[in-house]
Amino acid sequence: MTIDNGTRVAIVTGGSRGIGRAVVRRLAEQGYSVVVGYAGNADEAAAAVKEAVAAGAQALAYRADVADETAVAGMFAEAETRFGGVDAVLNSAGRMYLAPVADLDLDQMDALHRTNIRGTFVVAREAARRVREGGSITLFSTSVVGTYFPTYGAYAASKGAVEALTMVLAREMRGRNINVNTIAPGPTATELFLDGKSDELVARLAKSNPLERLGEPRDIAEVAAFLASPAGHWVNGQVVRANGGMV
């Protein structure tokens, strides 16, 4: 069944947890119909859908590995079938692996880059083909690309590729009125960020910006919702470092 009530439609990958889930909630509050893309945790994806519906939105969950072009194409097709089209794509799906370069597990690095680089290009390719005129594409990087913390080499390199893609894709969208941007969060209180970090390290990172706190997923979701909205449409081809002033 097709539902086309004139509302804007968003696909949010990595939408079942962390920043992606906060983005789902914020877009739902703004009246978007939302497809919650997820990789494996169906219960968390269902909970994200429930939150979106409670906010007054239409929503559905769709399982898709972002690096699998067939699955991603199916997710876009489902959005078109159920909601009538796609206006905003926000690719928050990502993987983190930390190790000094001398100790890199190359299989782990390959898996990281499969999700963070290949996955970004797969989602961006489908978005470039299918987002409706006047729409928006938002990718995700990390402020570590500019802080150069030890052990983040493989992760930062994967996100550096995303940043390099941003302006290229924005220019390729010429004539279609589609803006393309990347958000690079700083330390944000998500399960992915907090996993394996001592309380001392978390406290030190919280003090690393002038606002002296960790970001919250909602902080990043507000930026994402702005960039996807008509109000943020003039921002194009940019990497937005949403990090409280961290340098």
Side-chain angles (χ1 to χ4, degrees), residues 29-242:
E29 291 166 359
Q30 290 192 337
Y32 285 79
S33 297
V34 186
V35 175
V36 179
Y38 71 102
N41 194 321
D43 290 342
E44 292 290 346
V49 167
K50 185 175 180 179
E51 290 170 1
V53 171
Q58 300 173 97
L60 63 89
Y62 194 95
R63 184 171 184 170
D65 174 357
V66 291
D68 180 339
E69 62 269 35
T70 301
V72 169
M75 180 168 58
F76 276 76
E78 184 72 5
E80 291 170 342
T81 299
R82 291 287 300 275
F83 299 137
V86 180
D87 300 289
V89 175
L90 301 98
N91 184 47
S92 71
R95 182 190 294 262
M96 182 182 288
Y97 164 63
L98 306 180
V101 172
D103 298 329
L104 278 177
D105 180 320
L106 295 180
D107 289 336
Q108 290 270 19
M109 187 187 75
D110 287 344
L112 171 83
H113 287 182
R114 182 178 185 274
T115 297
N116 293 0
I117 300 178
R118 178 186 168 89
T120 295
F121 273 84
V122 168
V123 173
R125 185 179 74 163
E126 207 63 33
R129 293 171 173 177
R130 301 172 84 153
V131 168
R132 293 188 284 205
E133 183 172 352
S136 180
I137 301 170
T138 303
L139 310 175
F140 279 80
S141 177
T142 171
S143 287
V144 174
V145 171
T147 58
Y148 309 111
F149 291 152
T151 76
Y152 280 80
Y155 179 65
S158 73
K159 294 301 189 176
V162 177
E163 296 193 9
L165 169 63
T166 305
M167 181 60 85
V168 173
L169 185 57
R171 290 176 172 173
E172 291 177 354
M173 294 298 97
R174 179 181 293 273
R176 292 177 54 192
N177 193 26
I178 294 171
N179 70 330
V180 180
N181 295 288
T182 288
I183 300 172
T188 304
T190 66
E191 184 179 338
L192 179 68
F193 169 77
L194 294 171
D195 183 45
K197 293 183 175 65
S198 66
D199 291 344
E200 179 184 6
L201 177 57
V202 170
R204 186 165 72 249
L205 290 170
K207 292 287 188 179
S208 65
N209 68 74
L211 300 182
E212 296 189 330
R213 67 173 178 85
L214 293 180
E216 295 293 336
R218 179 78 177 205
D219 295 321
I220 312 305
E222 292 288 356
V223 177
F226 171 72
L227 292 175
S229 74
H233 204 69
W234 189 239
V235 182
N236 193 24
Q238 304 304 305
V239 176
V240 180
R241 301 213 180 280

